[in-house]
């Protein structure tokens, strides 16, 4: 069962999301919050698996909630669900530690599947969000040149595999996998897996 806290300052939006997600037997809405401070309190009280988080609220913005929530519960997954698709909003949220970024015009079934993927450790990005990451880090539109093995490592990371699982599948040591990630991060100009996967989705789309 995926335990979810919905955070949005519009009651009708929360009700709509709740109604959509409660149709799925593997999802439970454990709480709802209308603002950032309340969301942080609920994270401490309920220890959810995923925070479904709006980007802009009256008392605290999404990136600030993201940073503080991850400080409280480091293994928490955070999926941004918003109407805002400007580069600045997207980049700030991902840099704060959000694991995914979707727009509110997403289809209900895609939202449910995105929640499952996020909890499983996969990076979920609206096409606009992935493109923003790629444009920000590679404005010349020159595709980062990853080796075949580096791409294989990143593809497995995008699918939610741990370093140990990647090492097992590629017949490598975990130390070697870590070295590959260091090279990947350096080539893409990022600091973590989420950003790396987002850049490659923006660069290659479904071909990645």
């Amino acid at each position: 069962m995926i335990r979810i806290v919905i955070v949005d300052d519009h009651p009708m939006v929360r009700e709509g999301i709740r109604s959509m997600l409660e149709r799925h037997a593997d999802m439970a809405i454990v709480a709802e919050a209308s603002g950032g401070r309340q969301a942080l309190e609920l994270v401490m009280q309920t220890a959810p698996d995923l925070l479904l988080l709006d980007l802009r609220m009256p008392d605290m913005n999404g990136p600030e909630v993201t940073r503080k929530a991850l400080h409280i519960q480091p293994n928490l997954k955070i999926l941004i669900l918003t109407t805002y698709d400007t580069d600045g909003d997207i980049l700030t949220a991902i840099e704060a530690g959000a694991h995914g970024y979707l727009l509110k015009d997403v289809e209900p079934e895609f939202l449910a599947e995105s929640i499952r993927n996020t909890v499983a450790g996969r990076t979920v990005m609206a096409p606009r969000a992935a493109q923003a990451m790629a444009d920000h880090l590679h404005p010349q539109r020159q595709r980062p040149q990853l080796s075949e093995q580096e791409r294989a490592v990143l593809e497995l990371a995008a699918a939610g595999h741990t370093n140990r699982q990647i090492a097992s599948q590629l017949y490598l040591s975990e130390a070697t996998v870590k070295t590959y990630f260091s090279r990947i991060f350096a080539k893409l100009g990022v600091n973590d897996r989420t950003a790396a996967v987002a850049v490659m989705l923006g660069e290659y789309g479904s071909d990645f």
Side-chain angles (χ1 to χ4, degrees):
M1 184 68 70
I2 300 173
R3 304 174 72 256
I4 302 166
V5 171
I6 299 171
V7 187
D8 196 291
D9 58 334
H10 294 97
M12 290 185 65
V13 172
R14 295 198 306 273
E15 179 60 31
I17 294 171
R18 173 185 281 274
S19 178
M20 286 189 292
L21 296 182
E22 285 185 335
R23 299 172 190 168
H24 299 273
D26 61 338
M27 298 184 188
I29 310 304
V30 296
E32 296 179 20
S34 60
R37 291 185 180 85
Q38 184 182 17
L40 296 175
E41 292 174 359
L42 290 171
V43 167
M44 288 187 285
Q45 293 170 7
T46 66
D49 300 304
L50 181 132
L51 203 60
L52 192 59
L53 180 63
D54 193 11
L55 196 64
R56 298 185 185 176
M57 292 166 290
D59 64 339
M60 196 181 297
N61 63 34
E64 187 177 0
V65 175
T66 296
R67 284 189 291 269
K68 292 183 177 181
L70 291 174
H71 180 73
I72 295 168
Q73 186 179 326
N75 63 342
L76 175 67
K77 300 298 184 182
I78 298 178
L79 181 57
I80 301 293
L81 183 64
T82 184
T83 58
Y84 300 99
D85 65 352
T86 64
D87 289 8
D89 289 322
I90 294 165
L91 296 171
T92 303
I94 299 304
E95 288 169 354
H99 302 91
Y101 195 107
L102 296 178
L103 301 178
K104 287 182 179 176
D105 60 0
V106 67
E107 293 293 330
E109 287 303 316
F110 186 79
L111 175 59
E113 192 59 28
S114 295
I115 288 172
R116 295 186 186 103
N117 283 329
T118 302
V119 170
R122 304 181 184 98
T123 299
V124 175
M125 290 280 167
R128 177 72 192 89
Q131 192 64 59
M133 286 294 298
D135 289 344
H136 173 67
L137 293 167
H138 302 283
Q140 303 300 319
R141 304 306 305 133
Q142 295 176 348
R143 288 186 171 189
Q145 297 302 308
L146 298 185
S147 69
E148 183 178 344
Q149 191 77 312
E150 287 166 349
R151 287 192 63 174
V153 168
L154 193 52
E155 286 168 4
L156 289 172
H161 295 289
T162 65
N163 283 4
R164 178 173 295 181
Q165 291 168 333
I166 294 170
S168 176
Q169 291 201 38
L170 297 180
Y171 302 100
L172 302 169
S173 69
E174 286 189 61
T176 300
V177 170
K178 291 178 181 178
T179 298
Y180 274 119
F181 273 119
S182 296
R183 293 175 184 171
I184 290 167
F185 295 165
K187 286 184 178 182
L188 300 184
V190 300
N191 297 313
D192 58 53
R193 294 186 184 205
T194 299
V197 172
V199 168
M200 294 309 290
L201 286 172
E203 294 286 354
Y204 292 92
S206 59
D207 293 332
F208 167 46

